Amino acid sequence: MAQQKEIYDYLRSVDCCRVCCLRFLKGTKEEFVDIDAALQKVGSGKKPLDQENGEHKAKKLKENVCIACLGLFDLDRIATLACEVKEHAAYQQYRCEAGFLTSISLPIVLHLRQLALWFDVVDRFPQTFFPGTPPDIAVKDALKMIIIHQLERTLEKPFSVDGVMVNVPYTYANEEEELRTLEQVSPGVFANRKANKHTKKEFISRNAFEKHFTPSMINGDRFRKHYAVPPVSSEEVGLVRGELSFTGPTIFLAGRYNKFSRELSQTPWMIDGKRKMAGSVQETIGASIAPHFGVSDEQLIFSSSGREDVDVRCLGEGRPFVLEIVDAKTDQLPEDVAIRMEQEVGTSQTVAIRDIQLVKREDLVHIRHGEEDKRKFYRALCVTAEPVTEEMVRKLRIDEPFVMQQVTPLRVLHRRTLLARPRTVYSVKAFACRDNPHAMVVDIVSQAGTYIKELVHSDFGRTGPSFRSIIGAEIDIHALDVMAIDLDWPKKLRR
């Protein structure tokens, strides 16, 4: 306890603020919430300004800015931050039950000042501080402990990684001037950074500072020659807090969609910057969902379990999809709102959605991984050059799985790598059409990623075996429907 008191008194004597003293005393989260009580334990409770750092000191009208945090821990200013957040018009547009989190941007010069104090306290208190171990609780960690506690009380909401992000930026006018001294301390570090074309344009990054500038990595005498140990400050120049900003949570809405049109792409179809079709499944769905979350439909990120061609319908239970919604203004989806969204999409007559619900990021593994292990169920209307015979139908009734090789189809070669891909067909079942002697309906169960049209007509022999090679006659596909997708996700709600 006596050693802690000695450390506290010394740090105060060189113009460290009380919070930074507590950082060097390695205060706990609870102690940063009640700083006065924490410092009283070491006999260093708050005193009147004219008594602090010794009764013999003349009373100051204004203290210098803290040499360690440059005024960051001005508790009066921090106290107003929570109220400012609550009353901020930009914050009030969010309706998120999860709570909030913070993103605090601090200048790198604070690391330089920590380094100078690190050298100082290692020399003065060698039994407590060591060159290889940071001497304090990190500035940002301490600030978050204080700010989060105040925000929780003021906003009456918990800290949560799924909440609204409160962005708090700080700058320091003299940062570049102070950091330039590092070139004299370790010139090799900056020569390597200038030679590396991948290095950012900033003078030095936070990671580079932490890697190259510690008491065990640099020459202490050279550092002292170019930078004050302990660091110094004045009452005029300190950190300046920038404008508060807010970012809503990224949430994920999952569901299933049906596509009933043979003239609708899944996502906006653009070639050379020009639209090929008026709409898309993505835009039809997004137009009904985006307004509730306070975003434009262009901000939605659409993904699904595979995709169908423009002229292919998706029937049955539908295709699982996910919308990633960045900066959502709400994280809630009431049941009545979900029902209204489903009904509104249904009025398009081209797309329907069902089972829409909010899911967690980790649930996306269902849709993003193991795609080739899934099975897809198709129904194809095929036409033949010759009249359909019983022998053709018999040959296209295959119960045993078989593997075919598909070279990238000609129709997608402009956007797919030229490869030969093995694909498994699990079953084929053909039925002749009574009213058309040149047509048959074929039900196909295949591995996801199979090009069904090429499976039918062989793509000039690039797919084999194909229906054409199996029946020994010309055959093509007239219409194709996706009937089912072997993915029991998201949860079926049966509204």
Side-chain angles (χ1 to χ4, degrees), residues 31-59:
E31 288 174 326
F32 279 103
V33 169
D34 191 347
I35 296 164
D36 287 340
L39 294 177
Q40 284 174 358
K41 291 179 182 178
V42 294
S44 304
K46 190 172 183 179
K47 299 178 182 179
L49 193 59
D50 59 334
Q51 296 178 22
E52 207 160 15
N53 293 327
E55 299 293 340
H56 63 279
K57 259 194 173 182
K59 182 175 180 179

Side-chain angles (χ1 to χ4, degrees), residues 272-315:
D272 296 330
K274 296 181 180 180
R275 292 189 71 109
K276 299 296 291 183
M277 310 199 100
S280 66
V281 172
Q282 173 184 327
E283 291 166 305
T284 304
I285 295 173
S288 297
I289 289 176
H292 172 72
F293 295 100
V295 299
S296 67
D297 52 356
E298 289 87 0
Q299 289 178 255
L300 303 178
I301 301 172
F302 180 92
S303 56
S304 64
S305 178
R307 61 189 301 141
E308 64 284 317
D309 289 340
V310 169
D311 58 352
V312 176
R313 297 186 301 180
C314 184
L315 308 178

Side-chain angles (χ1 to χ4, degrees), residues 25 35 161 166 189 206 260 263 275 349 403 420 447 481:
L25 296 176
I35 296 164
V161 295
V166 181
V189 171
R206 198 174 307 276
F260 305 120
E263 298 179 342
R275 292 189 71 109
Q349 303 297 311
V403 177
Q447 178 183 355
D481 292 332

Side-chain angles (χ1 to χ4, degrees), residues 75 78-80 82 146-155:
L75 295 180
I78 291 177
T80 66
I146 296 170
I147 287 179
I148 287 172
H149 173 70
Q150 294 192 3
L151 285 173
E152 285 182 326
R153 288 195 309 174
T154 304
L155 302 180

Side-chain angles (χ1 to χ4, degrees), residues 5 7-22 35-36 39-40 42-64 75:
K5 177 68 164 61
I7 293 170
Y8 175 86
D9 288 341
Y10 171 70
L11 291 174
R12 289 297 284 154
S13 73
V14 294
D15 283 332
C16 267
C17 70
R18 299 171 67 251
V19 177
C20 284
C21 290
L22 185 57
I35 296 164
D36 287 340
L39 294 177
Q40 284 174 358
V42 294
S44 304
K46 190 172 183 179
K47 299 178 182 179
L49 193 59
D50 59 334
Q51 296 178 22
E52 207 160 15
N53 293 327
E55 299 293 340
H56 63 279
K57 259 194 173 182
K59 182 175 180 179
K60 297 180 182 179
L61 294 177
K62 188 174 183 181
E63 290 186 308
N64 285 341
L75 295 180

Side-chain angles (χ1 to χ4, degrees), residues 240-372:
V240 176
R241 202 196 79 205
E243 181 66 29
L244 293 176
S245 62
F246 305 89
T247 308
T250 296
I251 64 174
F252 300 89
L253 182 144
R256 293 179 178 83
Y257 76 79
N258 293 113
K259 180 167 86 78
F260 305 120
S261 171
R262 297 194 188 277
E263 298 179 342
L264 189 67
S265 60
Q266 187 194 63
T267 54
W269 188 5
M270 310 285 288
I271 296 180
D272 296 330
K274 296 181 180 180
R275 292 189 71 109
K276 299 296 291 183
M277 310 199 100
S280 66
V281 172
Q282 173 184 327
E283 291 166 305
T284 304
I285 295 173
S288 297
I289 289 176
H292 172 72
F293 295 100
V295 299
S296 67
D297 52 356
E298 289 87 0
Q299 289 178 255
L300 303 178
I301 301 172
F302 180 92
S303 56
S304 64
S305 178
R307 61 189 301 141
E308 64 284 317
D309 289 340
V310 169
D311 58 352
V312 176
R313 297 186 301 180
C314 184
L315 308 178
E317 295 285 347
R319 186 183 296 277
F321 74 91
V322 171
L323 288 175
E324 181 176 344
I325 306 169
V326 178
D327 193 20
K329 302 304 183 292
T330 179
D331 56 5
Q332 302 297 303
L333 180 62
E335 181 71 3
D336 62 321
V337 174
I339 292 172
R340 187 172 67 249
M341 289 175 177
E342 294 180 352
Q343 292 173 341
E344 187 174 324
V345 172
T347 62
S348 69
Q349 303 297 311
T350 58
V351 179
I353 58 175
R354 68 182 74 193
D355 303 328
I356 64 168
Q357 57 199 274
L358 298 182
V359 297
K360 297 292 186 181
R361 183 185 294 272
E362 51 267 29
D363 293 332
L364 303 192
V365 65
H366 297 289
I367 205 167
R368 291 181 174 172
H369 298 285
E371 182 65 22
E372 293 189 357

